[in-house]
């Protein structure tokens, strides 16, 4: 059959492999019934011509569809739309799921984060996008050894249900660990979470009603923006400035009585910003006066490359309003899915009640192994090692940027964390640059992913944590080439067809 | 100081250790300010007299308070209320958390489940309450060996961020495993969850608006009742009968247009009930006609002690409306926190969007090890072994009940699962029996925990999975003694002081 009618005005983007995009297009047409069961699809060769891709890509697209049962590929005959539910024919009814589901706002925005998480698994490019630790340094062998060495001392019941708060030895270990950050907390002020994302979710869940105001220091972590927006919060922005914009904050406090201020005071994602110690003190004073709850997200403070960063807000919290959130995803590995929160016992008690609905309690194996890992001193060693590695990577990226892109980009060299935040000096949008950069084989995150409202179109984030110096230098060189192409106006033709990254 | 005024009308219950109850009472008075910082508390001896407990219990209560920083115990001087936030004195403000938190209904009900989860860790009794596999048979050594043996073949990126849907090899493995249950599913119809509780939560989240109707086949799993009620659903009960109450269901369908039917068709928690194959077929027909979504919870069907149970509803689903939910918590160990859902791709897509807010994705270590465990054939072996063990335990409990309590209780011997559901023949409430049973050192769950509304006061659930035959027989013998005491009217004195279990 002729499926060319479906691909009018369809342009494949560079953000995911072509074969997946083609498969997804055909899948949508099968699901909505445009392609009926039994229908013969174009030969692979025709499909390749239709989408202007290689024959291998066309073959892969059909294989992907076959894997999910949408088509059957019959050797020597062709590819046919398959009856996915062979039993469906017995029933004249089909469940109208789309009508049943509750309305959902901005699914495309919401899916960006998941795309970021898998993007570097899908493609063979230099990924300067997702902010993750380098998998080559995950201490997986130590975890395996701990699993073996401590098995005999394990009480099997520790692999049964445990309290919602988490594995008690780990809660103790974390509260001891936090003393070095100036945070003194009691056991009933701590809870283990399934990643710090869960802390964002649950905090929003217990505090925010639709229409409530939340203050964000922007640009900031995408996952936080999304969590609060999904709850119907109205977002107030504290813009980026050399100094902390206290007069704006105070105006917000007086005018809107916001429920919460979310911030990443140390090595902020995405711009590496650090709130100064005097600013922290003043913020706490102001927050105490207005009884403003502060959600302090602190995933990066262990990775400092110059001086030790200032004390956390929680360490200075003299009114019980700071909710401290952190995670082992950045300092160890995301797959542990272990984060934690330190906050007033009243809040923790309530978070516990909500968490029980979400997953009863977090994963025991991770918590048990992590506790051993910290107690045996491996975490300290690991952090020292990784600080050295990331510092060299930051230096390499900073040097490469200074050498080749200093005139075209403005950027700030951070004293910790994973990111260099750039701004394009010329009138070129970061999304346009990304499109060109992907062709050159390098990726980054355009700036508007870090804003709640209309984006700052010329900004973008580079992450230096995932690759070694040589690859980073090559990545920046590719970026320079992409910038060069844009200057020469070589991308003007594709204007109007640019698909949003998000 | 004299704290006796606080304990007027306070009676310690038997549901948790006395020292914790005393500590919690004093803690509440410190938090609400009735006991001021620096105040001296009664000597341990006085405290013991005040609460009519042993001196050890009083000491433990103070130690528990000290652990959490509420008091300091000064040798030779006494116990004093401590300033928990030494910095608080710098601020004249304290965060008014209770006013800030969103309203929460029935926290006492919600906390029952967490109490159940830890109750048998806290006490030295024969626990016939929480429905968990026997920790002595958790295959923790096999998991440790797999961790060691497969480490070299692991791609470290598998311990980074993975797609929200879960670890793809495990999704494949599960869909192959389900073929034996008659369920044929494609990859895009599956998602890995952080326990099946998360499946209940997310299903409710995407389908239910406050005021929507949900049908429950009662008595049923407490966690499901709570999840739906927390979302503001109105619950319609399908009562327990010899046959499935189709005429009631059809009336509900026509009258209320409910969003969802939740059921556990095979070896239902708490009563072991099995929906017959003709009933399943008829249910599917009716559901297809009314486009009713069915949430089929299936944690127990692998534990059958007679014939293989009927095909799952999902296996017969000819209209795409059945959401199949299962877990490895019962067949392996709860601490894995791995469950899964099989449903129409439209629903899965939406569940994925919600799950990303809740925890990004489930734990990688568990998923990786579990996949290996199944692929190496250990799960099959484990199930065969555990079926044998649980069958003997069921037989032992059934025999003991028949021998000693047949005249006093009505009960039904299940052909699978973990539970024997009992009803007291005489006019004695199950909570009253529990109070007496706890004194004898045996526990169970009173029946009203399994109903959405007013409870069936004379029913209760016994679980035979956690102990070996000898202990089970002893447990039933203790239960018989408790019944005997009640008959003799020995508990009438405490009437009026009975604290609810929940």
């Amino acid at each position: 059959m002729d499926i060319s009618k479906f691909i009018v005005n369809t342009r494949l983007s560079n953000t995911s492999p072509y074969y997946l995009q083609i498969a997804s297009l055909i899948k949508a047409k099968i699901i909505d019934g445009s392609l009926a069961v039994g229908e013969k699809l174009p030969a692979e060769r025709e499909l390749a011509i239709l989408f202007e891709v290689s024959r291998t890509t066309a073959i892969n697209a059909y294989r992907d569809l076959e894997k999910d049962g949408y088509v059957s590929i019959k050797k020597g005959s062709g590819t046919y739309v398959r009856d996915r539910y062979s039993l469906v024919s017995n029933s004249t009814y089909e469940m109208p799921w789309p009508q049943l589901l509750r309305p959902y706002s901005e699914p495309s925005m919401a899916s960006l984060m998941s795309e970021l998480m898998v993007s570097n698994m899908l493609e063979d490019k230099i990924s300067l996008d997702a902010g993750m630790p380098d998998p080559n340094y995950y201490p997986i062998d130590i975890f395996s050894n701990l699993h073996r060495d401590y098995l005999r001392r394990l009480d099997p019941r520790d692999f049964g249900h445990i309290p919602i708060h988490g594995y008690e030895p780990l809660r103790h270990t974390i509260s001891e660990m936090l003393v070095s950050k100036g945070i003194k907390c009691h056991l009933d002020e701590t809870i283990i979470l399934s990643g710090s994302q869960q802390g964002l979710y649950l905090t929003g869940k217990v505090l925010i009603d639709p229409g409530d105001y939340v203050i964000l220091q922007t640009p900031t972590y995408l996952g936080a923006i999304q969590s609060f927006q999904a709850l119907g919060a109205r977002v107030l922005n504290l813009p980026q400035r050399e100094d902390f914009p206290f007069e704006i904050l105070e105006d917000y406090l007086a005018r809107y009585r916001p429920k919460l201020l979310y911030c990443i005071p140390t090595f902020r994602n995405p711009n590496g910003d650090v709130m100064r110690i005097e600013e922290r003190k003043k913020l706490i004073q102001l927050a105490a006066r207005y009884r403003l709850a502060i959600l302090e997200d602190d995933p990066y403070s262990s990775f400092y490359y110059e001086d030790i960063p200032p004390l956390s807000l929680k360490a200075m919290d003299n009114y019980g309003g700071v909710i401290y959130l952190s995670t082992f995803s950045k300092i160890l590995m995301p797959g542990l899915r272990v984060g934690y929160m330190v906050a007033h016992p009243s809040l923790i008690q309530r978070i516990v009640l909500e968490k029980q609905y979400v997953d009863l309690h977090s994963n025991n194996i991770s918590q048990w192994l992590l506790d051993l890992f910290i107690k045996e001193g491996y975490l300290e060693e690991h952090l020292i090692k990784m600080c050295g590695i990331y510092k060299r990577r930051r230096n390499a990226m900073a040097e490469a940027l200074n050498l080749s892109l200093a005139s075209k980009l403005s950027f700030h060299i951070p004293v910790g964390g994973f990111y260099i935040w750039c701004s394009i000096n010329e009138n070129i949008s970061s999304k346009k640059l990304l499109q060109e950069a992907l062709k050159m084989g390098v990726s980054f995150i355009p700036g508007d992913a870090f804003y709640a409202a209309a984006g700052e179109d010329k900004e973008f984030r580079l992450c230096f944590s995932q690759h070694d110096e040589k690859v980073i230098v090559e990545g920046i060189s590719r970026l320079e080439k992409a910038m060069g192409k844009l200057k020469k106006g070589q991308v003007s033709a594709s204007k109007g067809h640019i698909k949003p990254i998000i």
Side-chain angles (χ1 to χ4, degrees), chain A:
Chain A
M1 77 149 289
D2 179 20
I3 68 163
S4 60
K5 62 181 174 201
F6 300 137
I7 64 153
V8 176
N9 288 327
T10 299
R11 220 179 160 93
L12 300 178
S13 85
N14 276 301
T15 53
S16 72
Y18 290 153
Y19 79 92
L20 284 181
Q21 294 180 59
I22 297 170
S24 151
L25 192 82
I26 298 176
K27 196 188 298 184
K29 295 301 162 189
I30 296 175
I31 288 179
D32 74 12
S34 313
L35 291 167
V37 169
E39 209 156 339
K40 186 174 180 177
L41 295 174
E44 288 142 2
R45 195 174 28 79
E46 293 166 44
L47 191 71
I49 293 167
L50 222 48
F51 282 98
E52 301 174 31
V53 294
S54 72
R55 196 153 164 227
T56 315
T57 301
I59 292 172
N60 285 337
Y62 279 156
R63 286 213 181 126
D64 187 67
L65 288 166
E66 188 188 32
K67 185 192 73 182
D68 286 342
Y70 287 97
V71 306
S72 23
I73 304 176
K74 294 179 185 163
K75 274 248 163 100
S77 160
T79 304
Y80 298 85
V81 177
R82 191 173 146 185
D83 184 1
R84 300 184 76 228
Y85 299 91
S86 55
L87 281 163
V88 168
S89 49
N90 299 335
S91 169
T92 44
Y93 311 104
E94 179 138 16
M95 197 67 187
W97 281 113
Q99 291 95 292
L100 262 172
L101 296 170
R102 294 178 62 216
Y104 187 79
S105 52
E106 304 180 66
S108 55
M109 172 71 173
S111 61
L112 172 62
M113 198 157 50
S114 51
E115 277 175 27
L116 295 185
M117 287 195 297
V118 297
S119 69
N120 51 345
M121 289 200 279
L122 290 173
E123 295 185 35
D124 182 30
K125 63 164 197 291
I126 296 178
S127 158
L128 304 178
D129 51 21
M132 293 200 287
D134 185 345
N136 294 315
Y137 291 96
Y138 291 166
I140 51 176
D141 48 343
I142 300 177
F143 273 79
S144 174
N145 292 343
L146 288 169
H147 202 155
R148 180 196 61 210
D149 296 344
Y150 281 87
L151 189 67
R152 296 294 148 221
R153 282 184 250 173
L154 176 75
D155 180 344
R157 282 176 302 178
D158 287 343
F159 278 24
H161 281 303
I162 55 173
I164 304 168
H165 292 85
Y167 182 54
E168 196 166 310
L170 178 62
R171 289 167 69 207
H172 272 292
T173 301
I174 286 174
S175 63
E176 280 163 27
M177 190 179 87
L178 287 175
V179 171
S180 73
K181 291 195 191 284
I183 299 172
K184 284 173 208 137
C185 59
H186 304 292
L187 211 59
D188 59 352
E189 293 169 289
T190 65
I191 180 172
I192 305 291
L193 301 163
S194 305
S196 58
Q197 174 65 35
Q198 190 168 75
L200 290 172
Y201 180 78
L202 294 175
T203 303
K205 198 93 199 309
V206 305
L207 285 176
I208 295 169
D209 279 310
D212 278 349
Y213 289 98
V214 170
I215 307 175
L216 303 180
Q217 211 191 353
T218 51
T220 194
Y221 170 53
L222 171 67
I225 299 175
Q226 291 183 336
S227 279
F228 299 132
Q229 286 185 335
L231 288 164
R234 287 184 283 186
V235 167
L236 303 170
N237 288 296
L238 279 185
Q240 178 60 18
R241 278 204 327 219
E242 190 50 42
D243 59 328
F244 190 96
F246 279 109
E247 82 288 359
I248 302 179
L249 174 59
E250 201 151 4
D251 185 66
Y252 283 158
L253 292 173
R255 199 185 293 274
Y256 299 108
R257 305 305 270 163
K259 275 279 181 72
L260 191 70
L261 162 66
Y262 170 81
C263 60
I264 309 168
T266 308
F267 313 139
R268 188 194 330 167
N269 175 12
N271 64 359
D273 192 51
V274 181
M275 203 187 290
R276 284 186 288 270
I277 186 81
E278 321 79 62
E279 293 174 332
R280 292 177 192 227
K281 283 182 190 162
K282 200 169 160 192
L283 176 59
I284 290 288
Q285 275 173 7
L286 203 61
R289 197 156 74 237
Y290 283 91
R291 275 84 159 171
L292 170 71
I294 298 179
L295 180 53
E296 175 182 34
D297 197 357
D298 188 34
Y300 301 105
S301 65
S302 300
F303 292 131
Y304 53 89
Y305 313 130
E306 314 294 337
D307 294 332
I308 293 183
L311 273 187
S312 72
L313 294 172
K314 186 67 194 168
M316 305 178 198
D317 177 11
N318 60 2
Y319 70 115
V322 179
I323 306 162
Y324 180 85
L325 195 59
S326 192
T327 174
F328 294 94
S329 293
K330 309 290 180 188
I331 61 176
L332 278 171
M333 39 196 183
L336 289 172
R337 307 308 307 122
V338 177
Y340 55 93
M341 177 185 283
V342 179
H344 194 281
S346 314
L347 182 74
I348 295 289
Q349 268 175 37
R350 187 52 201 290
I351 294 270
V352 160
L353 292 173
E354 293 291 336
K355 180 168 164 66
Q356 112 178 299
Y357 291 123
V358 166
D359 60 10
L360 292 183
H361 54 85
S362 296
N363 185 279
N364 305 27
I365 302 182
S366 276
Q367 293 188 67
W368 174 62
L369 290 175
L370 189 52
D371 180 52
L372 297 171
F373 188 85
I374 302 171
K375 276 187 182 138
E376 292 283 308
Y378 289 117
L379 182 61
E380 242 176 278
E381 279 175 32
H382 185 73
L383 285 176
I384 291 168
K385 183 172 84 176
M386 295 316 293
C387 274
I389 289 167
Y390 291 143
K391 182 177 181 170
R392 287 195 292 279
R393 291 177 178 189
R394 178 205 62 169
N395 293 348
M397 185 178 275
E399 201 181 330
L401 284 170
N402 274 323
L403 275 173
S404 61
L405 284 162
S407 65
K408 292 169 182 162
L409 299 176
S410 301
F411 49 86
H412 167 78
I413 309 300
V415 294
F418 283 181
Y419 312 110
I420 297 186
W421 181 243
C422 305
S423 177
I424 305 169
N425 293 337
E426 281 137 275
N427 195 20
I428 294 169
S429 89
S430 60
K431 277 186 204 149
K432 204 186 252 183
L433 176 60
L434 178 61
Q435 201 194 29
E436 209 56 29
L438 285 169
K439 287 187 200 158
M440 296 289 156
V442 63
S443 65
F444 57 79
I445 313 252
D448 59 359
F450 304 97
Y451 290 92
E456 297 297 304
D457 212 22
K458 290 163 69 184
E459 293 173 312
F460 61 93
R461 189 191 77 179
L462 297 172
C463 172
F464 54 79
S465 63
Q466 287 216 53
H467 299 286
D468 65 25
E469 292 92 302
K470 216 179 115 187
V471 178
I472 285 175
V473 170
E474 169 62 21
I476 299 301
S477 145
R478 291 182 191 180
L479 186 65
E480 190 201 356
K481 281 187 202 129
M483 284 285 307
K485 287 228 171 180
L486 278 172
K487 285 279 290 176
K488 289 175 210 143
Q490 291 186 7
V491 292
S492 55
S494 69
K495 211 177 161 184
H497 290 298
I498 300 166
K499 273 198 162 185
I501 266 300
I502 294 174

